[in-house]
Amino acid sequence: MERPSPIAALKAVLPEAVWTEDADRIAPRLSEWRGRWRGETPIMLLPRNTAEVSACVRACAELGLPITTQGGNTGLVGGQIPLGEVLLSTERLTAVRQVSPLDDALTVESGVTLLQAQQAAAEVERLFPLSLAAEGTATVGGVISTNAGGTAVLRYGVMRDLVLGIEAVLPDGRVFKGLRALRKNNTGYDLKQLFIGAEGTLGVVTAATLKLFPVMRSRATAMVGLNDPEAAIRLLALAKSETGGGVDAFELMKRIGIELVLQHIPDTREPLDRPSPWYVLLELASGEPGAAEAALPRVLERALSERLILDAAIAQNAAQAAAFWRLREEQSAGQKPEGPGWKHDVSVPVSQVAAFIDQATAAAESTCTGARVSAFGHVGDGNIHFDVLMPSGGDRAAFEAAREEGSRRIHDIADQLSGSISAEHGLGRLKTAEAARYKDPVELDLQRAVRAALDPRRLMNPGVLF
Amino acid sequence: MERPSPIAALKAVLPEAVWTEDADRIAPRLSEWRGRWRGETPIMLLPRNTAEVSACVRACAELGLPITTQGGNTGLVGGQIPLGEVLLSTERLTAVRQVSPLDDALTVESGVTLLQAQQAAAEVERLFPLSLAAEGTATVGGVISTNAGGTAVLRYGVMRDLVLGIEAVLPDGRVFKGLRALRKNNTGYDLKQLFIGAEGTLGVVTAATLKLFPVMRSRATAMVGLNDPEAAIRLLALAKSETGGGVDAFELMKRIGIELVLQHIPDTREPLDRPSPWYVLLELASGEPGAAEAALPRVLERALSERLILDAAIAQNAAQAAAFWRLREEQSAGQKPEGPGWKHDVSVPVSQVAAFIDQATAAAESTCTGARVSAFGHVGDGNIHFDVLMPSGGDRAAFEAAREEGSRRIHDIADQLSGSISAEHGLGRLKTAEAARYKDPVELDLQRAVRAALDPRRLMNPGVLF
């Protein structure tokens, strides 16, 4: 008698409701929205609770079957796409287990979307602050596994800063029960940290306890014109100091980015009377009614008197604030009609932002004559989306041919300035080799030692990280 | 020819300036201020920089010599006291390597004291917020290794939340170079997290990059009288909500704790006109000049109208605020003349604080008739110093005999309420066995797997943690 295939054996040990081989059902899970990856999988597992996740992972471990775990499938670096592995989806792990306003804590399963988590917090008059474009689809488990950032990092930190506890199924199927709503607990290594940003390599996150915050009571938004990124960084320090940390957003944009949005995106308009070489979208918030509105003019007047800024416009109502935000949010869309671009998601220490932009711009322009640089991003966190656009009417093939060298030089500059080549998107399948170039060998060894300790057979998301 | 002893071999390979066998020099390092531990060591290593730490650790590793690392020797659980191991002191690692106000970052070596770090921040008009009683002696390395808390956790978090980067010498002598001032960096596991709270078991922290914050511009302090801890927790939620997170301190005290301070500590006085069963020291702070002073009466009036509080006094000046703080800070000193106590450093979810105090008080009183409970602490973090005092004029021997059972029952209650038996002091040598009772076997396995991956021969602080 022939031995059954591992997949047949897997199906035999799991309840029928927990798996599917339906190609139509699986297909949307095998590509992602940018269309960069086409995956394949023999089977998709759809466990409904932690016990079923444990049974699925244990069965795969016993059969030696590697697993790729997928949340909302919004990742940008291919980490969620199986290339032959079993696909484990968290889409049925959707329970909101506990909302505890007195603890400022919310416990949800990992398939809950970021938006649903935000809504569960809002229902008890609390804020879950992590916010990003894909929040209607991105799941809590995915956002934990990629340690996502987004637009509220300056005040509230990245996902790592917002997680109080984690429940996860380990690579051998055992359950790590780390769901705690404790603010202080010093009893050994803080193991939950391992699963945050691990991109699914150390187990499957099944639930998390998240930190909640008070809802803010005042908010004020301005668009500011400046001469250069150096001035922007000094404005940031001034605004933080004047408000005691009340800066909620600080987004830098270059004139070309504003111009492309005005040119290509309908219903957008110049934010200031005269164009400036650079712009900052500055937003203050406070728990005190009226405090942000009072602080913003004070900050801007001082910045004007210190000649840090050229011009500024304070949003007079929510619609004007939204119009300012639109100029920021459409930066990528505004570039699209201009053809391909070399895109980079780097971070550097805030003090090095201006040096990075200067040096990287020079590197881009010397790698490809006429290339146009549109740098923008969450500069309050040192995070720059450094995009190099094709020369106007330029030679597309020549631009593509220069991409590898150009990106390499830009990443080298970030590295030399003590920066990172992946500030918020993670490494996934896309950036792992590039990241390994910049890692110290000791750190690479440590990365591998930790992985081997938890997943000695490398069965969890084997294609990602080191 | 005889082979030299390992210690002789160690002396032979290290520069003479780096070690000492001078018993007078070593003696103060072998006991701690509570006098609970008497250590011993064959030799003390005093490396002057990271390269020397690396040479010391490498030489010990090659000779199979275990090491205990010591910072300021202020730990409360014996983790810093060698029992036969080589003693490695960080006392010469005192460089302030970089102060970068634009990055809100400060890089110091691990032997720098907490107070020196605070001062280095203040010199550039920034705040390093971690603050605790031993800050003049406790070192940055020690505070990282124990993930210390202190009085500013409610707003700024524990030490883990304040570390941007770490440099550490691994158990084999290699150097992990993780000193980064980046706010966002998603390129694999965040390895620095391993060393925070590791109590020296995964290597020697040699330097760290710390987060700085804006200096606050207004501050307001009140002493509040309440009926019970339940009301205190509701007051906390109200104050956080009304101020958008502007609560800097929220310290609960029981009437008996106030009475003992008034009785035993000179120059202290009743904070309110009439005694209350419970007290909260509430402090608000804001970056806006005047905002905290404006918010405090609003919060207290609302709390009075909702009948959450019985009475309140707002400090009219810095001296009055200091007098309120003194009542809190002298809680332990006030107990001392009353004889021995069973002391507990527990945390529970904030919502469970009242339940914990009720149940633990009943357990203490039924274990030892007449025992007096003085609960106080950083209740905003769910951290309760739950101290059980001997009955007035009671039988000391009987009280000591009941200690083990009493403490066990109190820890059991914290555990049943999803709490921790060591909120901020760590485990060290003192609490490891007790902590192991409450750890899930899966978590204990993971703790040991991580340790074995980094230190397979268990040479670093072998007597602490699991």
mmCIF file with all atom_site columns, all heavy atoms in Angstrom, chain A residues 193-208:
data_model
loop_
_atom_site.group_PDB
_atom_site.id
_atom_site.type_symbol
_atom_site.label_atom_id
_atom_site.label_alt_id
_atom_site.label_comp_id
_atom_site.label_asym_id
_atom_site.label_entity_id
_atom_site.label_seq_id
_atom_site.pdbx_PDB_ins_code
_atom_site.Cartn_x
_atom_site.Cartn_y
_atom_site.Cartn_z
_atom_site.occupancy
_atom_site.B_iso_or_equiv
_atom_site.pdbx_formal_charge
_atom_site.auth_seq_id
_atom_site.auth_comp_id
_atom_site.auth_asym_id
_atom_site.auth_atom_id
_atom_site.pdbx_PDB_model_num
ATOM 1   N N   . GLN A 1 193 ? 7.664  40.149 22.606 1.00 0.00 ? 193 GLN A N   1
ATOM 2   C CA  . GLN A 1 193 ? 8.451  40.982 21.689 1.00 0.00 ? 193 GLN A CA  1
ATOM 3   C C   . GLN A 1 193 ? 8.945  40.173 20.490 1.00 0.00 ? 193 GLN A C   1
ATOM 4   O O   . GLN A 1 193 ? 9.125  40.717 19.399 1.00 0.00 ? 193 GLN A O   1
ATOM 5   C CB  . GLN A 1 193 ? 9.655  41.607 22.413 1.00 0.00 ? 193 GLN A CB  1
ATOM 6   C CG  . GLN A 1 193 ? 9.293  42.458 23.624 1.00 0.00 ? 193 GLN A CG  1
ATOM 7   C CD  . GLN A 1 193 ? 8.508  43.708 23.280 1.00 0.00 ? 193 GLN A CD  1
ATOM 8   O OE1 . GLN A 1 193 ? 8.510  44.158 22.140 1.00 0.00 ? 193 GLN A OE1 1
ATOM 9   N NE2 . GLN A 1 193 ? 7.821  44.258 24.265 1.00 0.00 ? 193 GLN A NE2 1
ATOM 10  N N   . LEU A 1 194 ? 9.214  38.889 20.711 1.00 0.00 ? 194 LEU A N   1
ATOM 11  C CA  . LEU A 1 194 ? 9.734  38.064 19.613 1.00 0.00 ? 194 LEU A CA  1
ATOM 12  C C   . LEU A 1 194 ? 8.770  38.021 18.439 1.00 0.00 ? 194 LEU A C   1
ATOM 13  O O   . LEU A 1 194 ? 9.189  38.003 17.281 1.00 0.00 ? 194 LEU A O   1
ATOM 14  C CB  . LEU A 1 194 ? 9.988  36.636 20.104 1.00 0.00 ? 194 LEU A CB  1
ATOM 15  C CG  . LEU A 1 194 ? 11.187 36.446 21.024 1.00 0.00 ? 194 LEU A CG  1
ATOM 16  C CD1 . LEU A 1 194 ? 11.186 35.023 21.585 1.00 0.00 ? 194 LEU A CD1 1
ATOM 17  C CD2 . LEU A 1 194 ? 12.492 36.708 20.257 1.00 0.00 ? 194 LEU A CD2 1
ATOM 18  N N   . PHE A 1 195 ? 7.476  37.961 18.720 1.00 0.00 ? 195 PHE A N   1
ATOM 19  C CA  . PHE A 1 195 ? 6.492  37.758 17.652 1.00 0.00 ? 195 PHE A CA  1
ATOM 20  C C   . PHE A 1 195 ? 6.168  39.051 16.896 1.00 0.00 ? 195 PHE A C   1
ATOM 21  O O   . PHE A 1 195 ? 5.615  39.005 15.808 1.00 0.00 ? 195 PHE A O   1
ATOM 22  C CB  . PHE A 1 195 ? 5.210  37.149 18.237 1.00 0.00 ? 195 PHE A CB  1
ATOM 23  C CG  . PHE A 1 195 ? 5.469  35.843 18.935 1.00 0.00 ? 195 PHE A CG  1
ATOM 24  C CD1 . PHE A 1 195 ? 5.654  35.781 20.300 1.00 0.00 ? 195 PHE A CD1 1
ATOM 25  C CD2 . PHE A 1 195 ? 5.583  34.671 18.201 1.00 0.00 ? 195 PHE A CD2 1
ATOM 26  C CE1 . PHE A 1 195 ? 5.930  34.583 20.938 1.00 0.00 ? 195 PHE A CE1 1
ATOM 27  C CE2 . PHE A 1 195 ? 5.858  33.464 18.828 1.00 0.00 ? 195 PHE A CE2 1
ATOM 28  C CZ  . PHE A 1 195 ? 6.032  33.413 20.203 1.00 0.00 ? 195 PHE A CZ  1
ATOM 29  N N   . ILE A 1 196 ? 6.516  40.186 17.504 1.00 0.00 ? 196 ILE A N   1
ATOM 30  C CA  . ILE A 1 196 ? 6.226  41.474 16.862 1.00 0.00 ? 196 ILE A CA  1
ATOM 31  C C   . ILE A 1 196 ? 7.315  41.756 15.830 1.00 0.00 ? 196 ILE A C   1
ATOM 32  O O   . ILE A 1 196 ? 8.497  41.801 16.156 1.00 0.00 ? 196 ILE A O   1
ATOM 33  C CB  . ILE A 1 196 ? 6.157  42.602 17.915 1.00 0.00 ? 196 ILE A CB  1
ATOM 34  C CG1 . ILE A 1 196 ? 5.098  42.267 18.974 1.00 0.00 ? 196 ILE A CG1 1
ATOM 35  C CG2 . ILE A 1 196 ? 5.868  43.942 17.241 1.00 0.00 ? 196 ILE A CG2 1
ATOM 36  C CD1 . ILE A 1 196 ? 5.111  43.192 20.185 1.00 0.00 ? 196 ILE A CD1 1
ATOM 37  N N   . GLY A 1 197 ? 6.912  41.911 14.582 1.00 0.00 ? 197 GLY A N   1
ATOM 38  C CA  . GLY A 1 197 ? 7.883  42.129 13.509 1.00 0.00 ? 197 GLY A CA  1
ATOM 39  C C   . GLY A 1 197 ? 8.568  40.861 13.034 1.00 0.00 ? 197 GLY A C   1
ATOM 40  O O   . GLY A 1 197 ? 9.510  40.928 12.244 1.00 0.00 ? 197 GLY A O   1
ATOM 41  N N   . ALA A 1 198 ? 8.109  39.693 13.477 1.00 0.00 ? 198 ALA A N   1
ATOM 42  C CA  . ALA A 1 198 ? 8.756  38.427 13.075 1.00 0.00 ? 198 ALA A CA  1
ATOM 43  C C   . ALA A 1 198 ? 8.260  37.932 11.727 1.00 0.00 ? 198 ALA A C   1
ATOM 44  O O   . ALA A 1 198 ? 8.751  36.913 11.229 1.00 0.00 ? 198 ALA A O   1
ATOM 45  C CB  . ALA A 1 198 ? 8.540  37.359 14.139 1.00 0.00 ? 198 ALA A CB  1
ATOM 46  N N   . GLU A 1 199 ? 7.297  38.619 11.150 1.00 0.00 ? 199 GLU A N   1
ATOM 47  C CA  . GLU A 1 199 ? 6.779  38.269 9.825  1.00 0.00 ? 199 GLU A CA  1
ATOM 48  C C   . GLU A 1 199 ? 6.365  36.791 9.753  1.00 0.00 ? 199 GLU A C   1
ATOM 49  O O   . GLU A 1 199 ? 6.568  36.116 8.737  1.00 0.00 ? 199 GLU A O   1
ATOM 50  C CB  . GLU A 1 199 ? 7.804  38.632 8.733  1.00 0.00 ? 199 GLU A CB  1
ATOM 51  C CG  . GLU A 1 199 ? 8.170  40.129 8.776  1.00 0.00 ? 199 GLU A CG  1
ATOM 52  C CD  . GLU A 1 199 ? 8.948  40.623 7.545  1.00 0.00 ? 199 GLU A CD  1
ATOM 53  O OE1 . GLU A 1 199 ? 8.936  39.924 6.519  1.00 0.00 ? 199 GLU A OE1 1
ATOM 54  O OE2 . GLU A 1 199 ? 9.528  41.715 7.627  1.00 0.00 ? 199 GLU A OE2 1
ATOM 55  N N   . GLY A 1 200 ? 5.785  36.313 10.835 1.00 0.00 ? 200 GLY A N   1
ATOM 56  C CA  . GLY A 1 200 ? 5.242  34.960 10.838 1.00 0.00 ? 200 GLY A CA  1
ATOM 57  C C   . GLY A 1 200 ? 6.258  33.840 10.959 1.00 0.00 ? 200 GLY A C   1
ATOM 58  O O   . GLY A 1 200 ? 5.899  32.669 10.852 1.00 0.00 ? 200 GLY A O   1
ATOM 59  N N   . THR A 1 201 ? 7.519  34.166 11.204 1.00 0.00 ? 201 THR A N   1
ATOM 60  C CA  . THR A 1 201 ? 8.548  33.120 11.203 1.00 0.00 ? 201 THR A CA  1
ATOM 61  C C   . THR A 1 201 ? 8.659  32.372 12.530 1.00 0.00 ? 201 THR A C   1
ATOM 62  O O   . THR A 1 201 ? 9.318  31.337 12.579 1.00 0.00 ? 201 THR A O   1
ATOM 63  C CB  . THR A 1 201 ? 9.936  33.720 10.900 1.00 0.00 ? 201 THR A CB  1
ATOM 64  O OG1 . THR A 1 201 ? 10.243 34.702 11.894 1.00 0.00 ? 201 THR A OG1 1
ATOM 65  C CG2 . THR A 1 201 ? 9.967  34.355 9.532  1.00 0.00 ? 201 THR A CG2 1
ATOM 66  N N   . LEU A 1 202 ? 8.062  32.901 13.594 1.00 0.00 ? 202 LEU A N   1
ATOM 67  C CA  . LEU A 1 202 ? 8.234  32.253 14.899 1.00 0.00 ? 202 LEU A CA  1
ATOM 68  C C   . LEU A 1 202 ? 6.937  31.637 15.405 1.00 0.00 ? 202 LEU A C   1
ATOM 69  O O   . LEU A 1 202 ? 6.893  31.112 16.517 1.00 0.00 ? 202 LEU A O   1
ATOM 70  C CB  . LEU A 1 202 ? 8.785  33.257 15.922 1.00 0.00 ? 202 LEU A CB  1
ATOM 71  C CG  . LEU A 1 202 ? 10.132 33.895 15.558 1.00 0.00 ? 202 LEU A CG  1
ATOM 72  C CD1 . LEU A 1 202 ? 10.586 34.856 16.651 1.00 0.00 ? 202 LEU A CD1 1
ATOM 73  C CD2 . LEU A 1 202 ? 11.200 32.836 15.294 1.00 0.00 ? 202 LEU A CD2 1
ATOM 74  N N   . GLY A 1 203 ? 5.900  31.681 14.587 1.00 0.00 ? 203 GLY A N   1
ATOM 75  C CA  . GLY A 1 203 ? 4.620  31.128 14.997 1.00 0.00 ? 203 GLY A CA  1
ATOM 76  C C   . GLY A 1 203 ? 3.482  31.931 14.385 1.00 0.00 ? 203 GLY A C   1
ATOM 77  O O   . GLY A 1 203 ? 3.713  32.845 13.591 1.00 0.00 ? 203 GLY A O   1
ATOM 78  N N   . VAL A 1 204 ? 2.268  31.559 14.777 1.00 0.00 ? 204 VAL A N   1
ATOM 79  C CA  . VAL A 1 204 ? 1.074  32.241 14.275 1.00 0.00 ? 204 VAL A CA  1
ATOM 80  C C   . VAL A 1 204 ? 0.459  33.037 15.422 1.00 0.00 ? 204 VAL A C   1
ATOM 81  O O   . VAL A 1 204 ? 0.023  32.456 16.419 1.00 0.00 ? 204 VAL A O   1
ATOM 82  C CB  . VAL A 1 204 ? 0.037  31.224 13.759 1.00 0.00 ? 204 VAL A CB  1
ATOM 83  C CG1 . VAL A 1 204 ? -1.195 31.951 13.222 1.00 0.00 ? 204 VAL A CG1 1
ATOM 84  C CG2 . VAL A 1 204 ? 0.645  30.314 12.704 1.00 0.00 ? 204 VAL A CG2 1
ATOM 85  N N   . VAL A 1 205 ? 0.429  34.355 15.285 1.00 0.00 ? 205 VAL A N   1
ATOM 86  C CA  . VAL A 1 205 ? -0.233 35.182 16.289 1.00 0.00 ? 205 VAL A CA  1
ATOM 87  C C   . VAL A 1 205 ? -1.737 34.939 16.176 1.00 0.00 ? 205 VAL A C   1
ATOM 88  O O   . VAL A 1 205 ? -2.309 35.084 15.090 1.00 0.00 ? 205 VAL A O   1
ATOM 89  C CB  . VAL A 1 205 ? 0.082  36.674 16.076 1.00 0.00 ? 205 VAL A CB  1
ATOM 90  C CG1 . VAL A 1 205 ? -0.714 37.540 17.046 1.00 0.00 ? 205 VAL A CG1 1
ATOM 91  C CG2 . VAL A 1 205 ? 1.587  36.925 16.245 1.00 0.00 ? 205 VAL A CG2 1
ATOM 92  N N   . THR A 1 206 ? -2.377 34.541 17.271 1.00 0.00 ? 206 THR A N   1
ATOM 93  C CA  . THR A 1 206 ? -3.811 34.243 17.218 1.00 0.00 ? 206 THR A CA  1
ATOM 94  C C   . THR A 1 206 ? -4.664 35.319 17.898 1.00 0.00 ? 206 THR A C   1
ATOM 95  O O   . THR A 1 206 ? -5.838 35.456 17.581 1.00 0.00 ? 206 THR A O   1
ATOM 96  C CB  . THR A 1 206 ? -4.109 32.883 17.873 1.00 0.00 ? 206 THR A CB  1
ATOM 97  O OG1 . THR A 1 206 ? -3.475 32.832 19.158 1.00 0.00 ? 206 THR A OG1 1
ATOM 98  C CG2 . THR A 1 206 ? -3.583 31.750 17.007 1.00 0.00 ? 206 THR A CG2 1
ATOM 99  N N   . ALA A 1 207 ? -4.075 36.054 18.825 1.00 0.00 ? 207 ALA A N   1
ATOM 100 C CA  . ALA A 1 207 ? -4.829 37.131 19.498 1.00 0.00 ? 207 ALA A CA  1
ATOM 101 C C   . ALA A 1 207 ? -3.839 38.083 20.139 1.00 0.00 ? 207 ALA A C   1
ATOM 102 O O   . ALA A 1 207 ? -2.671 37.743 20.344 1.00 0.00 ? 207 ALA A O   1
ATOM 103 C CB  . ALA A 1 207 ? -5.782 36.559 20.554 1.00 0.00 ? 207 ALA A CB  1
ATOM 104 N N   . ALA A 1 208 ? -4.334 39.284 20.441 1.00 0.00 ? 208 ALA A N   1
ATOM 105 C CA  . ALA A 1 208 ? -3.464 40.279 21.075 1.00 0.00 ? 208 ALA A CA  1
ATOM 106 C C   . ALA A 1 208 ? -4.279 41.186 21.972 1.00 0.00 ? 208 ALA A C   1
ATOM 107 O O   . ALA A 1 208 ? -5.459 41.447 21.709 1.00 0.00 ? 208 ALA A O   1
ATOM 108 C CB  . ALA A 1 208 ? -2.745 41.118 20.022 1.00 0.00 ? 208 ALA A CB  1
#
